[in-house]
Amino acid sequence: DARVTQTPRHKVTEMGQEVTMRCQPILGHNTVFWYRQTMMQGLELLAYFRNRAPLDDSGMPKDRFSAEMPDATLATLKIQPSEPRDSAVYFCASGLVGQGTGYTFGSGTRLTVV
Amino acid sequence: KQEVTQIPAALSVPEGENLVLNCSFTDSAIYNLQWFRQDPGKGLTSLLLIQSSQREQTSGRLNASLDKSSGRSTLYIAASQPGDSATYLCAVHYNQGGKLIFGQGTELSVKP
């Protein structure tokens, strides 16, 4: 089965450090979403792309978060500088809009900022 | 504002019961609706996808319905089993802007 691959699976870092999370969407999918999940807030939409173009990143704290798709096989989410409140699980999902199919999620990156 | 609400937040039932999970959404301009399952500490697994033109979808013991006019979807689980214990999430893919918005989920516990 095709899958969305996220790396790393776990990341522990010190406050103030840069964190980069990566996502490899399913080949041929044209839409990529980034979510953050916490117990308190549930799944929050951070940003999403269609055909590699950013459509909406209003859910991200702009001063420290950035999301990019340098090519069709890679999406990245960066946090600089990281803060303890950024500790969460970050999920990437991909899908093919216009084909009547749903979205497939990666296994997530569990980030802990100490 | 596009919002998705799931009721109840938690549900505990004895094994063998049939149960219904509810999802309501604002803005009827949806593209499709997807139900997911999430086990503790794990990712999201897709269960059922309903297109905006469809009324229901079935997979095994699961049946999902969609009523756009009332802004509601239900997930029906027949003959529940302890292995069904998980959090169930409803996600609405909206036409406008193309956002995929999640409800807060229903945490289901099926007791043997």
Side-chain angles (χ1 to χ4, degrees):
Chain A
D1 287 342
R3 59 179 62 187
V4 175
T5 302
Q6 289 187 246
T7 56
R9 290 294 307 276
H10 302 273
K11 176 72 175 179
V12 180
T13 190
E14 292 185 347
M15 182 173 61
Q17 296 296 305
E18 177 178 301
V19 176
T20 298
M21 290 169 272
R22 294 176 173 81
C23 169
Q24 181 178 349
I26 291 173
L27 189 64
H29 281 186
N30 64 0
T31 303
V32 173
F33 288 89
W34 280 106
Y35 289 89
R36 174 171 63 185
Q37 186 176 41
T38 60
M39 288 292 291
M40 293 300 295
Q41 299 296 328
L43 275 161
E44 299 175 277
L45 177 61
L46 297 175
Y48 67 106
F49 297 79
R50 183 151 303 135
N51 298 319
R52 295 177 55 201
L55 289 189
D56 191 322
D57 61 1
S58 59
M60 290 197 316
K62 298 291 192 308
D63 57 338
R64 299 185 300 108
F65 284 60
S66 62
E68 296 179 346
M69 278 202 75
D71 62 61
T73 65
L74 178 65
T76 62
L77 180 66
K78 291 185 181 181
I79 307 175
Q80 168 63 22
S82 57
E83 298 180 1
R85 59 179 167 155
D86 300 329
S87 297
V89 181
Y90 291 81
F91 286 104
C92 169
S94 74
L96 182 58
V97 174
Q99 296 300 310
T101 57
Y103 287 91
T104 301
F105 275 71
S107 298
T109 293
R110 183 174 297 275
L111 174 65
T112 303
V113 183
V114 298
Chain B
K1 184 180 178 183
Q2 295 165 335
E3 292 184 343
V4 180
T5 304
Q6 289 187 247
I7 296 174
L11 181 63
S12 182
V13 300
E15 182 178 4
E17 272 203 8
N18 302 324
L19 58 100
V20 175
L21 307 181
N22 297 291
C23 172
S24 61
F25 49 92
T26 58
D27 190 347
S28 61
I30 73 169
Y31 181 65
N32 58 41
L33 185 147
Q34 198 166 355
W35 282 93
F36 292 87
R37 167 185 173 141
Q38 186 175 30
D39 293 284
K42 304 293 185 182
L44 280 72
T45 301
S46 180
L47 297 174
L48 289 165
L49 172 71
I50 309 178
Q51 302 298 334
S52 61
S53 58
Q54 296 176 322
R55 296 284 296 189
E56 65 179 86
Q57 282 285 345
T58 298
S59 176
R61 294 182 295 108
L62 305 180
N63 175 275
S65 68
L66 175 64
D67 184 342
K68 280 178 54 180
S69 62
S70 65
R72 292 184 179 182
S73 175
T74 61
L75 180 66
Y76 175 83
I77 302 177
S80 58
Q81 303 170 357
D84 295 330
S85 298
T87 296
Y88 291 79
L89 293 149
C90 165
V92 176
H93 188 187
Y94 285 98
N95 287 334
Q96 186 174 1
K99 291 185 178 182
L100 183 68
I101 305 296
F102 279 83
Q104 292 282 29
T106 294
E107 185 176 356
L108 173 65
S109 176
V110 182
K111 305 295 186 185

Short mmCIF file of all heavy atoms in Angstrom, two decimals, chain B residues 31-93:
data_model
loop_
_atom_site.label_atom_id
_atom_site.label_comp_id
_atom_site.label_asym_id
_atom_site.label_seq_id
_atom_site.Cartn_x
_atom_site.Cartn_y
_atom_site.Cartn_z
N TYR B 31 -17.05 19.29 0.07
CA TYR B 31 -16.58 18.49 -1.07
C TYR B 31 -16.75 17.01 -0.75
O TYR B 31 -17.24 16.23 -1.54
CB TYR B 31 -15.12 18.84 -1.35
CG TYR B 31 -14.49 18.13 -2.51
CD1 TYR B 31 -14.93 18.35 -3.80
CD2 TYR B 31 -13.44 17.24 -2.31
CE1 TYR B 31 -14.34 17.70 -4.88
CE2 TYR B 31 -12.85 16.60 -3.37
CZ TYR B 31 -13.30 16.82 -4.65
OH TYR B 31 -12.72 16.18 -5.70
N ASN B 32 -16.31 16.61 0.45
CA ASN B 32 -16.54 15.28 0.95
C ASN B 32 -16.33 15.25 2.46
O ASN B 32 -15.91 16.24 3.06
CB ASN B 32 -15.67 14.22 0.26
CG ASN B 32 -14.18 14.49 0.38
OD1 ASN B 32 -13.69 14.88 1.44
ND2 ASN B 32 -13.44 14.26 -0.70
N LEU B 33 -16.64 14.12 3.07
CA LEU B 33 -16.49 13.95 4.52
C LEU B 33 -15.83 12.60 4.75
O LEU B 33 -16.19 11.60 4.11
CB LEU B 33 -17.85 14.02 5.21
CG LEU B 33 -17.88 13.98 6.74
CD1 LEU B 33 -19.04 14.81 7.26
CD2 LEU B 33 -17.95 12.57 7.27
N GLN B 34 -14.86 12.58 5.65
CA GLN B 34 -14.09 11.37 5.88
C GLN B 34 -14.10 11.04 7.37
O GLN B 34 -13.90 11.93 8.22
CB GLN B 34 -12.65 11.57 5.38
CG GLN B 34 -11.85 10.33 5.16
CD GLN B 34 -10.56 10.60 4.35
OE1 GLN B 34 -10.32 11.71 3.88
NE2 GLN B 34 -9.74 9.57 4.18
N TRP B 35 -14.33 9.75 7.70
CA TRP B 35 -14.22 9.28 9.07
C TRP B 35 -12.89 8.55 9.24
O TRP B 35 -12.50 7.74 8.39
CB TRP B 35 -15.38 8.34 9.40
CG TRP B 35 -16.68 9.02 9.68
CD1 TRP B 35 -17.67 9.29 8.78
CD2 TRP B 35 -17.14 9.51 10.94
NE1 TRP B 35 -18.72 9.92 9.41
CE2 TRP B 35 -18.43 10.06 10.74
CE3 TRP B 35 -16.61 9.52 12.24
CZ2 TRP B 35 -19.18 10.63 11.77
CZ3 TRP B 35 -17.35 10.08 13.26
CH2 TRP B 35 -18.62 10.62 13.02
N PHE B 36 -12.22 8.87 10.37
CA PHE B 36 -10.94 8.26 10.70
C PHE B 36 -11.03 7.59 12.06
O PHE B 36 -11.84 7.97 12.92
CB PHE B 36 -9.83 9.31 10.76
CG PHE B 36 -9.47 9.95 9.46
CD1 PHE B 36 -10.14 11.07 9.00
CD2 PHE B 36 -8.42 9.45 8.70
CE1 PHE B 36 -9.81 11.68 7.80
CE2 PHE B 36 -8.07 10.04 7.49
CZ PHE B 36 -8.77 11.16 7.05
N ARG B 37 -10.11 6.68 12.26
CA ARG B 37 -9.92 6.05 13.57
C ARG B 37 -8.49 6.34 14.00
O ARG B 37 -7.56 6.28 13.19
CB ARG B 37 -10.14 4.55 13.45
CG ARG B 37 -9.68 3.76 14.65
CD ARG B 37 -9.81 2.28 14.43
NE ARG B 37 -9.20 1.57 15.56
CZ ARG B 37 -9.70 0.48 16.09
NH1 ARG B 37 -10.81 -0.07 15.61
NH2 ARG B 37 -9.10 -0.10 17.12
N GLN B 38 -8.33 6.63 15.31
CA GLN B 38 -6.99 6.84 15.85
C GLN B 38 -6.83 6.05 17.13
O GLN B 38 -7.56 6.28 18.10
CB GLN B 38 -6.71 8.33 16.10
CG GLN B 38 -5.27 8.60 16.53
CD GLN B 38 -4.96 10.07 16.67
OE1 GLN B 38 -5.82 10.87 17.01
NE2 GLN B 38 -3.70 10.46 16.44
N ASP B 39 -5.88 5.14 17.15
CA ASP B 39 -5.55 4.41 18.36
C ASP B 39 -4.54 5.22 19.17
O ASP B 39 -3.79 6.02 18.59
CB ASP B 39 -4.98 3.04 18.00
CG ASP B 39 -6.05 2.15 17.37
OD1 ASP B 39 -6.90 1.66 18.13
OD2 ASP B 39 -6.04 1.99 16.13
N PRO B 40 -4.49 5.02 20.49
CA PRO B 40 -3.60 5.83 21.34
C PRO B 40 -2.15 5.81 20.86
O PRO B 40 -1.58 4.74 20.63
CB PRO B 40 -3.75 5.16 22.72
CG PRO B 40 -5.11 4.56 22.69
CD PRO B 40 -5.31 4.08 21.29
N GLY B 41 -1.59 6.98 20.71
CA GLY B 41 -0.19 7.09 20.30
C GLY B 41 0.08 6.77 18.85
O GLY B 41 1.25 6.66 18.44
N LYS B 42 -0.96 6.60 18.06
CA LYS B 42 -0.81 6.21 16.65
C LYS B 42 -1.32 7.30 15.71
O LYS B 42 -1.84 8.32 16.14
CB LYS B 42 -1.58 4.91 16.38
CG LYS B 42 -1.19 3.75 17.28
CD LYS B 42 0.22 3.29 17.00
CE LYS B 42 0.55 2.05 17.81
NZ LYS B 42 1.96 1.61 17.59
N GLY B 43 -1.16 7.02 14.44
CA GLY B 43 -1.66 7.94 13.42
C GLY B 43 -3.13 7.72 13.13
O GLY B 43 -3.82 6.99 13.83
N LEU B 44 -3.62 8.37 12.07
CA LEU B 44 -5.02 8.29 11.69
C LEU B 44 -5.20 7.28 10.57
O LEU B 44 -4.46 7.31 9.57
CB LEU B 44 -5.51 9.65 11.21
CG LEU B 44 -5.88 10.67 12.28
CD1 LEU B 44 -4.66 11.21 12.99
CD2 LEU B 44 -6.69 11.81 11.67
N THR B 45 -6.20 6.43 10.74
CA THR B 45 -6.52 5.43 9.72
C THR B 45 -7.88 5.78 9.13
O THR B 45 -8.85 5.94 9.86
CB THR B 45 -6.57 4.02 10.34
OG1 THR B 45 -5.30 3.72 10.92
CG2 THR B 45 -6.93 2.99 9.29
N SER B 46 -7.95 5.87 7.81
CA SER B 46 -9.20 6.20 7.15
C SER B 46 -10.17 5.03 7.22
O SER B 46 -9.80 3.88 6.98
CB SER B 46 -8.94 6.57 5.69
OG SER B 46 -10.15 6.88 5.04
N LEU B 47 -11.42 5.33 7.57
CA LEU B 47 -12.46 4.29 7.66
C LEU B 47 -13.41 4.37 6.47
O LEU B 47 -13.64 3.37 5.79
CB LEU B 47 -13.25 4.46 8.96
CG LEU B 47 -12.48 4.28 10.26
CD1 LEU B 47 -13.37 4.62 11.44
CD2 LEU B 47 -11.94 2.86 10.38
N LEU B 48 -13.97 5.54 6.27
CA LEU B 48 -14.97 5.72 5.22
C LEU B 48 -14.87 7.13 4.67
O LEU B 48 -14.59 8.08 5.40
CB LEU B 48 -16.39 5.48 5.76
CG LEU B 48 -16.77 4.04 6.09
CD1 LEU B 48 -18.04 4.02 6.94
CD2 LEU B 48 -16.98 3.24 4.81
N LEU B 49 -15.14 7.25 3.38
CA LEU B 49 -15.17 8.54 2.69
C LEU B 49 -16.53 8.67 2.02
O LEU B 49 -16.94 7.77 1.29
CB LEU B 49 -14.06 8.62 1.65
CG LEU B 49 -14.08 9.82 0.71
CD1 LEU B 49 -13.69 11.09 1.46
CD2 LEU B 49 -13.13 9.59 -0.45
N ILE B 50 -17.22 9.78 2.27
CA ILE B 50 -18.51 10.04 1.62
C ILE B 50 -18.38 11.30 0.77
O ILE B 50 -18.02 12.36 1.28
CB ILE B 50 -19.64 10.26 2.64
CG1 ILE B 50 -19.68 9.16 3.67
CG2 ILE B 50 -20.98 10.34 1.92
CD1 ILE B 50 -20.76 9.36 4.71
N GLN B 51 -18.69 11.18 -0.50
CA GLN B 51 -18.69 12.35 -1.38
C GLN B 51 -19.93 13.18 -1.10
O GLN B 51 -20.93 12.67 -0.59
CB GLN B 51 -18.67 11.91 -2.84
CG GLN B 51 -17.51 11.05 -3.24
CD GLN B 51 -16.17 11.74 -3.08
OE1 GLN B 51 -16.08 12.97 -3.14
NE2 GLN B 51 -15.13 10.96 -2.85
N SER B 52 -19.90 14.45 -1.46
CA SER B 52 -21.02 15.35 -1.18
C SER B 52 -22.30 14.91 -1.88
O SER B 52 -23.41 15.23 -1.43
CB SER B 52 -20.67 16.78 -1.60
OG SER B 52 -20.41 16.84 -2.98
N SER B 53 -22.17 14.14 -2.97
CA SER B 53 -23.34 13.70 -3.72
C SER B 53 -23.91 12.38 -3.18
O SER B 53 -24.95 11.92 -3.65
CB SER B 53 -22.96 13.51 -5.18
OG SER B 53 -21.91 12.57 -5.31
N GLN B 54 -23.24 11.78 -2.21
CA GLN B 54 -23.67 10.49 -1.68
C GLN B 54 -24.44 10.65 -0.38
O GLN B 54 -24.29 11.65 0.33
CB GLN B 54 -22.45 9.58 -1.45
CG GLN B 54 -21.71 9.24 -2.73
CD GLN B 54 -20.46 8.44 -2.48
OE1 GLN B 54 -19.73 8.67 -1.51
NE2 GLN B 54 -20.18 7.48 -3.37
N ARG B 55 -25.23 9.62 -0.05
CA ARG B 55 -25.99 9.63 1.20
C ARG B 55 -25.37 8.75 2.26
O ARG B 55 -25.49 9.01 3.45
CB ARG B 55 -27.42 9.15 0.93
CG ARG B 55 -28.21 10.02 0.02
CD ARG B 55 -28.70 11.27 0.70
NE ARG B 55 -29.62 10.99 1.78
CZ ARG B 55 -30.32 11.93 2.42
NH1 ARG B 55 -30.16 13.18 2.10
NH2 ARG B 55 -31.13 11.61 3.41
N GLU B 56 -24.69 7.66 1.82
CA GLU B 56 -24.07 6.78 2.79
C GLU B 56 -23.01 5.92 2.14
O GLU B 56 -22.96 5.77 0.91
CB GLU B 56 -25.12 5.90 3.49
CG GLU B 56 -25.84 4.92 2.61
CD GLU B 56 -26.81 4.09 3.45
OE1 GLU B 56 -27.95 4.56 3.64
OE2 GLU B 56 -26.42 3.01 3.90
N GLN B 57 -22.15 5.36 3.01
CA GLN B 57 -21.11 4.43 2.60
C GLN B 57 -21.01 3.35 3.67
O GLN B 57 -21.21 3.61 4.86
CB GLN B 57 -19.75 5.13 2.48
CG GLN B 57 -19.56 5.94 1.22
CD GLN B 57 -19.31 5.07 0.01
OE1 GLN B 57 -19.00 3.88 0.11
NE2 GLN B 57 -19.48 5.65 -1.16
N THR B 58 -20.70 2.14 3.22
CA THR B 58 -20.62 1.02 4.14
C THR B 58 -19.31 0.27 3.95
O THR B 58 -18.82 0.13 2.83
CB THR B 58 -21.79 0.05 3.91
OG1 THR B 58 -23.02 0.74 4.15
CG2 THR B 58 -21.70 -1.15 4.83
N SER B 59 -18.76 -0.19 5.09
CA SER B 59 -17.58 -1.04 5.06
C SER B 59 -17.68 -2.00 6.23
O SER B 59 -17.51 -1.58 7.38
CB SER B 59 -16.30 -0.22 5.14
OG SER B 59 -15.16 -1.05 5.20
N GLY B 60 -17.99 -3.25 5.95
CA GLY B 60 -18.11 -4.22 7.03
C GLY B 60 -19.18 -3.85 8.03
O GLY B 60 -20.34 -3.63 7.66
N ARG B 61 -18.80 -3.71 9.29
CA ARG B 61 -19.76 -3.36 10.34
C ARG B 61 -19.97 -1.85 10.47
O ARG B 61 -20.71 -1.39 11.35
CB ARG B 61 -19.26 -3.91 11.68
CG ARG B 61 -19.24 -5.43 11.76
CD ARG B 61 -18.78 -5.94 13.14
NE ARG B 61 -17.39 -5.58 13.43
CZ ARG B 61 -17.03 -4.67 14.31
NH1 ARG B 61 -17.93 -3.98 15.00
NH2 ARG B 61 -15.74 -4.43 14.52
N LEU B 62 -19.33 -1.08 9.62
CA LEU B 62 -19.42 0.37 9.68
C LEU B 62 -20.32 0.91 8.57
O LEU B 62 -20.25 0.43 7.43
CB LEU B 62 -18.03 1.00 9.53
CG LEU B 62 -16.94 0.57 10.50
CD1 LEU B 62 -15.65 1.29 10.19
CD2 LEU B 62 -17.36 0.80 11.93
N ASN B 63 -21.13 1.89 8.95
CA ASN B 63 -21.96 2.58 7.97
C ASN B 63 -21.94 4.06 8.30
O ASN B 63 -22.22 4.46 9.44
CB ASN B 63 -23.40 2.06 8.01
CG ASN B 63 -24.33 2.82 7.08
OD1 ASN B 63 -24.86 3.86 7.43
ND2 ASN B 63 -24.50 2.31 5.87
N ALA B 64 -21.60 4.88 7.32
CA ALA B 64 -21.59 6.32 7.52
C ALA B 64 -22.64 6.96 6.63
O ALA B 64 -22.78 6.58 5.47
CB ALA B 64 -20.21 6.89 7.21
N SER B 65 -23.37 7.92 7.18
CA SER B 65 -24.37 8.64 6.42
C SER B 65 -24.02 10.11 6.35
O SER B 65 -23.26 10.62 7.17
CB SER B 65 -25.75 8.46 7.07
OG SER B 65 -25.78 9.13 8.31
N LEU B 66 -24.59 10.78 5.37
CA LEU B 66 -24.35 12.21 5.19
C LEU B 66 -25.66 12.91 4.83
O LEU B 66 -26.35 12.48 3.90
CB LEU B 66 -23.32 12.46 4.09
CG LEU B 66 -23.06 13.92 3.71
CD1 LEU B 66 -22.45 14.68 4.89
CD2 LEU B 66 -22.14 13.99 2.49
N ASP B 67 -25.97 13.96 5.58
CA ASP B 67 -27.13 14.81 5.27
C ASP B 67 -26.62 16.25 5.19
O ASP B 67 -26.46 16.92 6.20
CB ASP B 67 -28.20 14.68 6.35
CG ASP B 67 -29.46 15.46 6.02
OD1 ASP B 67 -29.40 16.37 5.16
OD2 ASP B 67 -30.52 15.19 6.61
N LYS B 68 -26.36 16.69 3.97
CA LYS B 68 -25.79 18.02 3.79
C LYS B 68 -26.74 19.12 4.24
O LYS B 68 -26.32 20.12 4.82
CB LYS B 68 -25.44 18.24 2.32
CG LYS B 68 -24.15 17.62 1.88
CD LYS B 68 -23.92 17.84 0.40
CE LYS B 68 -23.99 19.28 0.00
NZ LYS B 68 -23.75 19.49 -1.43
N SER B 69 -28.03 18.93 3.99
CA SER B 69 -29.00 19.99 4.29
C SER B 69 -29.05 20.30 5.78
O SER B 69 -29.26 21.46 6.17
CB SER B 69 -30.38 19.61 3.77
OG SER B 69 -30.83 18.43 4.41
N SER B 70 -28.86 19.27 6.61
CA SER B 70 -28.89 19.50 8.06
C SER B 70 -27.49 19.64 8.63
O SER B 70 -27.34 19.88 9.83
CB SER B 70 -29.63 18.35 8.76
OG SER B 70 -28.91 17.14 8.62
N GLY B 71 -26.47 19.45 7.81
CA GLY B 71 -25.09 19.56 8.29
C GLY B 71 -24.71 18.46 9.26
O GLY B 71 -24.07 18.73 10.28
N ARG B 72 -25.09 17.22 8.92
CA ARG B 72 -24.82 16.11 9.85
C ARG B 72 -24.32 14.87 9.13
O ARG B 72 -24.70 14.58 8.01
CB ARG B 72 -26.08 15.75 10.61
CG ARG B 72 -26.55 16.79 11.59
CD ARG B 72 -27.74 16.29 12.38
NE ARG B 72 -28.20 17.28 13.33
CZ ARG B 72 -29.21 17.11 14.17
NH1 ARG B 72 -29.85 15.97 14.18
NH2 ARG B 72 -29.55 18.06 15.00
N SER B 73 -23.45 14.16 9.86
CA SER B 73 -23.04 12.84 9.44
C SER B 73 -23.06 11.93 10.66
O SER B 73 -22.82 12.39 11.78
CB SER B 73 -21.63 12.87 8.84
OG SER B 73 -21.18 11.56 8.53
N THR B 74 -23.38 10.67 10.47
CA THR B 74 -23.34 9.71 11.55
C THR B 74 -22.48 8.51 11.14
O THR B 74 -22.45 8.14 9.96
CB THR B 74 -24.73 9.20 11.94
OG1 THR B 74 -25.32 8.55 10.82
CG2 THR B 74 -25.63 10.32 12.41
N LEU B 75 -21.80 7.95 12.10
CA LEU B 75 -21.06 6.70 11.92
C LEU B 75 -21.72 5.66 12.79
O LEU B 75 -21.75 5.79 14.02
CB LEU B 75 -19.59 6.86 12.29
CG LEU B 75 -18.73 5.60 12.14
CD1 LEU B 75 -18.62 5.20 10.66
CD2 LEU B 75 -17.34 5.80 12.73
N TYR B 76 -22.24 4.64 12.14
CA TYR B 76 -22.93 3.55 12.82
C TYR B 76 -21.98 2.36 12.90
O TYR B 76 -21.44 1.94 11.87
CB TYR B 76 -24.21 3.20 12.05
CG TYR B 76 -24.96 2.01 12.58
CD1 TYR B 76 -25.84 2.13 13.65
CD2 TYR B 76 -24.83 0.76 11.98
CE1 TYR B 76 -26.56 1.04 14.11
CE2 TYR B 76 -25.54 -0.34 12.44
CZ TYR B 76 -26.41 -0.20 13.51
OH TYR B 76 -27.12 -1.27 13.97
N ILE B 77 -21.81 1.84 14.12
CA ILE B 77 -20.97 0.65 14.31
C ILE B 77 -21.87 -0.46 14.82
O ILE B 77 -22.49 -0.34 15.89
CB ILE B 77 -19.82 0.91 15.30
CG1 ILE B 77 -18.96 2.08 14.82
CG2 ILE B 77 -18.96 -0.35 15.45
CD1 ILE B 77 -17.83 2.45 15.78
N ALA B 78 -21.96 -1.53 14.09
CA ALA B 78 -22.81 -2.66 14.46
C ALA B 78 -22.01 -3.67 15.27
O ALA B 78 -20.82 -3.89 15.02
CB ALA B 78 -23.37 -3.32 13.22
N ALA B 79 -22.69 -4.27 16.25
CA ALA B 79 -22.11 -5.37 17.04
C ALA B 79 -20.69 -5.03 17.50
O ALA B 79 -19.71 -5.69 17.13
CB ALA B 79 -22.11 -6.65 16.22
N SER B 80 -20.60 -3.98 18.30
CA SER B 80 -19.29 -3.47 18.70
C SER B 80 -18.44 -4.53 19.41
O SER B 80 -18.95 -5.43 20.09
CB SER B 80 -19.46 -2.25 19.61
OG SER B 80 -20.22 -2.60 20.76
N GLN B 81 -17.11 -4.38 19.24
CA GLN B 81 -16.14 -5.31 19.82
C GLN B 81 -15.09 -4.52 20.59
O GLN B 81 -14.85 -3.34 20.28
CB GLN B 81 -15.46 -6.10 18.70
CG GLN B 81 -16.41 -6.86 17.81
CD GLN B 81 -15.72 -7.43 16.58
OE1 GLN B 81 -14.53 -7.22 16.35
NE2 GLN B 81 -16.47 -8.19 15.79
N PRO B 82 -14.42 -5.14 21.56
CA PRO B 82 -13.36 -4.43 22.29
C PRO B 82 -12.30 -3.84 21.37
O PRO B 82 -11.75 -2.77 21.65
CB PRO B 82 -12.79 -5.51 23.21
CG PRO B 82 -13.95 -6.42 23.48
CD PRO B 82 -14.72 -6.46 22.17
N GLY B 83 -12.04 -4.50 20.26
CA GLY B 83 -11.06 -3.98 19.30
C GLY B 83 -11.51 -2.71 18.61
O GLY B 83 -10.69 -2.06 17.95
N ASP B 84 -12.77 -2.33 18.76
CA ASP B 84 -13.25 -1.06 18.18
C ASP B 84 -12.88 0.13 19.07
O ASP B 84 -13.08 1.28 18.68
CB ASP B 84 -14.77 -1.09 18.01
CG ASP B 84 -15.24 -2.12 17.00
OD1 ASP B 84 -14.48 -2.41 16.05
OD2 ASP B 84 -16.35 -2.64 17.16
N SER B 85 -12.37 -0.13 20.25
CA SER B 85 -12.00 0.94 21.18
C SER B 85 -10.91 1.80 20.57
O SER B 85 -9.84 1.30 20.20
CB SER B 85 -11.53 0.36 22.51
OG SER B 85 -12.56 -0.37 23.14
N ALA B 86 -11.20 3.09 20.43
CA ALA B 86 -10.29 4.04 19.78
C ALA B 86 -10.98 5.40 19.79
O ALA B 86 -12.12 5.53 20.25
CB ALA B 86 -9.99 3.62 18.35
N THR B 87 -10.30 6.40 19.25
CA THR B 87 -10.93 7.70 19.04
C THR B 87 -11.34 7.79 17.58
O THR B 87 -10.55 7.47 16.68
CB THR B 87 -9.98 8.85 19.40
OG1 THR B 87 -9.69 8.79 20.80
CG2 THR B 87 -10.61 10.21 19.08
N TYR B 88 -12.57 8.21 17.35
CA TYR B 88 -13.11 8.33 16.00
C TYR B 88 -13.24 9.82 15.65
O TYR B 88 -13.84 10.60 16.40
CB TYR B 88 -14.46 7.63 15.90
CG TYR B 88 -14.31 6.13 16.00
CD1 TYR B 88 -14.13 5.50 17.24
CD2 TYR B 88 -14.27 5.33 14.86
CE1 TYR B 88 -13.94 4.14 17.34
CE2 TYR B 88 -14.08 3.96 14.94
CZ TYR B 88 -13.91 3.37 16.19
OH TYR B 88 -13.72 2.02 16.28
N LEU B 89 -12.67 10.17 14.51
CA LEU B 89 -12.59 11.56 14.08
C LEU B 89 -13.33 11.75 12.77
O LEU B 89 -13.20 10.93 11.84
CB LEU B 89 -11.14 11.98 13.91
CG LEU B 89 -10.32 12.04 15.20
CD1 LEU B 89 -8.87 11.72 14.93
CD2 LEU B 89 -10.45 13.39 15.86
N CYS B 90 -14.06 12.82 12.71
CA CYS B 90 -14.78 13.22 11.51
C CYS B 90 -14.03 14.41 10.89
O CYS B 90 -13.65 15.34 11.62
CB CYS B 90 -16.20 13.62 11.91
SG CYS B 90 -17.14 14.52 10.70
N ALA B 91 -13.82 14.38 9.58
CA ALA B 91 -13.12 15.47 8.90
C ALA B 91 -13.92 15.92 7.69
O ALA B 91 -14.33 15.08 6.87
CB ALA B 91 -11.73 15.03 8.47
N VAL B 92 -14.15 17.19 7.58
CA VAL B 92 -14.91 17.75 6.46
C VAL B 92 -13.97 18.50 5.53
O VAL B 92 -13.22 19.38 5.96
CB VAL B 92 -16.01 18.70 6.97
CG1 VAL B 92 -16.74 19.35 5.79
CG2 VAL B 92 -17.01 17.95 7.84
N HIS B 93 -14.04 18.13 4.27
CA HIS B 93 -13.26 18.82 3.23
C HIS B 93 -14.20 19.82 2.57
O HIS B 93 -15.16 19.44 1.91
CB HIS B 93 -12.72 17.81 2.22
CG HIS B 93 -11.76 18.40 1.25
ND1 HIS B 93 -11.27 17.69 0.16
CD2 HIS B 93 -11.19 19.62 1.16
CE1 HIS B 93 -10.45 18.46 -0.52
NE2 HIS B 93 -10.37 19.62 0.07
#
